[in-house]
Amino acid sequence: MNYVSTRNNKINVTAATAIASGISAEGGLFVPETIPSLTENDFAELKNMSYVERAAYILKYYLTDFTNDEIEYCVKGAYCGSFDNDQPAPITKLGQNINILELWHGPTCAFKDLALQLLPYLLTTSAKKVNQGKQTVILVATSGDTGKAALEGFKDVENTKIIVFYPCDGVSPMQKLQMDTQKGNNVFVCSIKGNFDDAQTGVKQIFTNNVIKETLEKSNMNFSSANSINWGRLVPQIIYYISAYCDLLKNGENLENGFNVVVPTGNFGNILAAYYAKQMGVPINKLICASNSNNVLTDFINSGTYDRNRKFFTTISPSMDILISSNLERMLYELCENDSETVAKLQNDLAKTGKFTVDENVHNKFKNIFYGGFCSEQETLDAIKNTFEKYGYLIDTHTAVAVSVYNKYLAESGDNKPVVIASTASPYKFANDVLSAIENNVSGNEFEKLEILSNKTNTDIPLPIKNLKNAQVRFQNISEKEDMPKVVLEFLGI
Ligand SMILES: *Cc1c(COP(=O)(O)O)cnc(C)c1O
């Protein structure tokens, strides 16, 4: 299985090259040449496996240049010992039809851990194959959760260095504290004056800046990405959708007519992984793309025009405050039937004018596969409150966006097939807003609120969050977005 660039499908590389480089030189994203499909027999086998076994089974289809031993080493390193009860993606059932896929049992309490615990293994294994001896420098732009998850995944990993940029006013206090207290000898954290899109654009510019690239090469280093533009971030996410299907089968759910999947969406990585799972044979019916007030994807799915020229909102679901959803490019490639010229043109339009429009045929395909919806801040809070009152189950602000949009979909369509809702963060990561949803006028600092939330809802504070209280702050850097290249070179000492 090889990988091609979304902007030039003549560029054809191995999985190791795709993962080691992160992004294709001309700016395109790597996608599998063909999406493998699983048979009934595969699912019958997968059904009785543990998560780690399922992961290895699925990765073998995508990483054909890795040996079986390498794959085993990667998945065991990633998923044994770092998730609660060694269950990275358990399902909790609410009522008859709703299955919450809890993706926040890892070291940083958000779904990014599922990919970012595995990525360092995939990346160092890939780097050994394709650029022997070179040090890999990981650059990350984060709206909060990726940064911390990447730092945890890469801290003290041999032959790597990692630099994380986050928008100074765009992350929650807990997210900020999680990053600023990061341990490890190869890590650097810096906030920038700007929003997430500024951070992401800045990182992309550094990646494609030839002068900086040459400077790194002279020092025997090269860049890679831990953002979901890296294929190594996406492939681990396909696993949990397949695993969720296997668990539903195991639970004896009636899946005769398939099931729906709801994903609170920002960069379009998570929902794209669900699409790949669907293409591989998981009987997913509708993919419900849930947005907050930054509803650029809702408008795109409804109109066929993607237009980022709009007001940017800072919301209580900050990991979804994004106006440029990078992974939509991979979806466009799929729905334009591998026509990389068209994709390149659309991305060029986006870079030049901030918008693009797909043709009617492609738009219709989008509408068939996806439902796009969004909810307001108040609706997000209502979803937390209602879910808690109805089921005694606490959800975070991002999951709440998914629940709220699912309810709109249900009301509009009457489609009450079983549903899997991706729950992307622990409510304790956003305790302030979660608590305000279920109780008026609570005062206290962040950590007092954790205790109040825990007592009130009879749930435990995850240890990685509880322990932040006494963690030492190591990073307090603020930079102008224009200075990002300087920050990188200074940290690297070159
Ligand atoms: C990153 C993130 C999202 C958005 O996921 P994408 O893959 O970027 O669409 C949603 N919720 C949480 C909690 C996140 O951290």
Side-chain angles (χ1 to χ4, degrees):
M1 154 88 75
N2 272 5
Y3 292 79
V4 295
S5 165
T6 49
R7 297 189 197 178
N8 178 357
N9 59 17
K10 306 236 162 34
I11 297 176
N12 188 303
V13 302
T14 61
T17 303
I19 293 170
S21 43
I23 188 166
S24 184
E26 85 300 351
L29 307 184
F30 288 114
V31 286
E33 260 176 329
T34 52
I35 300 173
S37 50
L38 299 172
T39 62
E40 294 272 317
N41 281 344
D42 288 316
F43 287 117
E45 279 195 52
L46 281 161
K47 194 174 117 176
N48 297 314
M49 292 181 178
S50 68
Y51 193 86
V52 171
E53 290 165 338
R54 287 173 184 168
Y57 193 99
I58 296 157
L59 288 180
K60 281 173 196 168
Y61 284 91
Y62 285 101
L63 310 177
T64 49
D65 51 335
F66 282 46
T67 65
N68 285 350
D69 282 351
E70 284 170 338
I71 289 180
E72 296 288 320
Y73 161 77
C74 291
V75 295
K76 285 198 179 132
Y79 299 125
C80 296
S82 36
F83 289 81
D84 297 339
N85 311 314
D86 273 348
Q87 294 206 346
I91 283 177
T92 292
K93 203 164 171 179
L94 305 183
Q96 217 17 318
N97 267 335
I98 301 177
N99 298 278
I100 304 283
L101 179 58
E102 293 179 353
L103 300 172
W104 39 262
H105 290 280
T108 76
C109 307
F111 87 96
K112 307 286 199 300
D113 287 328
L114 280 110
L116 282 161
Q117 284 296 303
L118 183 58
L119 181 67
Y121 289 95
L122 298 182
L123 203 120
T124 48
T125 307
S126 298
K128 272 190 200 137
K129 291 178 192 292
V130 299
N131 49 22
Q132 278 149 349
K134 274 195 191 162
Q135 193 169 51
T136 303
V137 179
I138 309 291
L139 287 189
V140 182
T142 184
S143 54
D145 292 328
T146 301
K148 178 61 182 180
L151 289 162
E152 271 302 309
F154 280 98
K155 73 167 178 225
D156 294 330
V157 172
E158 219 182 314
N159 243 352
T160 69
K161 283 202 160 84
I162 172 164
I163 304 166
V164 169
F165 292 100
Y166 68 83
C168 66
D169 296 321
V171 300
S172 83
M174 271 310 162
Q175 288 176 316
K176 180 174 160 57
L177 199 56
Q178 275 188 309
M179 289 186 278
D180 290 348
T181 58
Q182 179 63 44
K183 294 190 181 129
N185 289 322
N186 61 340
V187 306
F188 191 78
V189 175
C190 183
S191 69
I192 63 147
K193 294 181 194 159
N195 60 33
F196 169 71
D197 290 312
D198 295 322
Q200 178 159 262
T201 304
V203 162
K204 271 197 178 169
Q205 278 167 358
I206 297 174
F207 271 130
T208 45
N209 180 323
N210 285 330
V211 178
I212 300 181
K213 236 190 205 154
E214 277 165 28
T215 312
L216 254 75
E217 264 161 31
K218 278 190 206 131
S219 307
N220 212 21
M221 298 177 179
N222 67 333
F223 282 131
S224 190
S225 165
N227 280 101
S228 53
I229 53 173
N230 192 325
W231 178 251
R233 263 288 298 280
L234 270 176
V235 69
Q237 300 188 271
I238 301 171
I239 297 164
Y240 54 73
Y241 288 107
I242 296 175
S243 179
Y245 171 52
C246 294
D247 287 342
L248 295 183
L249 286 176
K250 240 181 153 167
N251 296 347
E253 292 283 333
N254 177 0
L255 301 175
E256 232 164 71
N257 299 316
F259 65 99
N260 297 322
V261 170
V262 193
V263 185
T265 296
N267 231 341
F268 211 78
N270 200 0
I271 196 164
L272 178 72
Y275 171 79
Y276 284 127
K278 174 177 159 78
Q279 291 310 98
M280 288 179 76
V282 176
I284 295 170
N285 182 51
K286 208 75 174 177
L287 288 163
I288 298 166
C289 176
S291 300
N292 62 25
S293 320
N294 295 297
N295 56 359
V296 61
L297 285 166
T298 312
D299 288 348
F300 171 63
I301 292 167
N302 291 333
S303 73
T305 294
Y306 190 96
D307 188 355
R308 63 157 300 201
N309 304 303
R310 59 179 69 212
K311 190 168 158 17
F312 176 89
F313 296 98
T314 299
T315 73
I316 56 175
S317 44
S319 302
M320 299 158 66
D321 291 346
I322 291 173
L323 292 180
I324 306 175
S325 299
S326 306
N327 272 296
L328 188 61
E329 178 166 347
R330 287 190 164 105
M331 195 66 221
L332 288 170
Y333 183 80
E334 292 299 319
L335 296 189
C336 294
E337 293 175 6
N338 306 358
D339 175 358
S340 55
E341 260 174 54
T342 300
V343 175
K345 188 193 160 297
L346 294 173
Q347 293 302 322
N348 192 34
D349 290 350
L350 183 65
K352 280 216 179 100
T353 65
K355 58 182 178 176
F356 64 77
T357 301
V358 295
D359 69 32
E360 202 182 315
N361 173 30
V362 171
H363 180 218
N364 284 336
K365 284 195 234 170
F366 261 101
K367 276 198 298 193
N368 278 333
I369 299 169
F370 294 96
Y371 168 89
F374 73 100
C375 73
S376 67
E377 299 290 271
Q378 187 57 48
E379 287 169 324
T380 307
L381 294 170
D382 291 345
I384 295 171
K385 185 176 162 69
N386 294 340
T387 305
F388 186 65
E389 285 177 354
K390 191 161 172 194
Y391 303 107
Y393 184 78
L394 196 63
I395 54 176
D396 92 292
T397 47
H398 304 77
T399 310
V401 170
V403 167
S404 179
V405 171
Y406 171 63
N407 286 332
K408 292 183 188 190
Y409 172 73
L410 194 60
E412 272 173 40
S413 67
D415 172 6
N416 64 354
K417 290 186 195 63
V419 65
V420 168
I421 299 180
S423 177
T424 49
S426 157
Y428 285 95
K429 223 170 165 172
F430 304 92
N432 222 341
D433 294 311
V434 170
L435 184 58
S436 79
I438 58 172
E439 179 99 17
N440 289 331
N441 301 324
V442 183
S443 59
N445 68 27
E446 282 287 317
F447 289 98
E448 287 160 354
K449 284 184 179 168
L450 293 178
E451 298 291 340
I452 298 168
L453 190 60
S454 173
N455 291 333
K456 200 174 155 47
T457 60
N458 220 351
T459 54
D460 292 330
I461 308 171
L463 277 183
I465 290 178
K466 203 170 179 171
N467 292 343
L468 280 178
K469 194 171 173 182
N470 300 316
Q472 187 202 344
V473 172
R474 294 184 64 205
F475 301 101
Q476 286 178 300
N477 308 298
I478 305 183
S479 152
E480 301 289 340
K481 60 188 181 202
E482 294 77 18
D483 293 336
M484 287 169 63
K486 211 169 88 195
V487 170
V488 170
L489 295 176
E490 269 175 21
F491 171 61
L492 297 177
I494 56 176

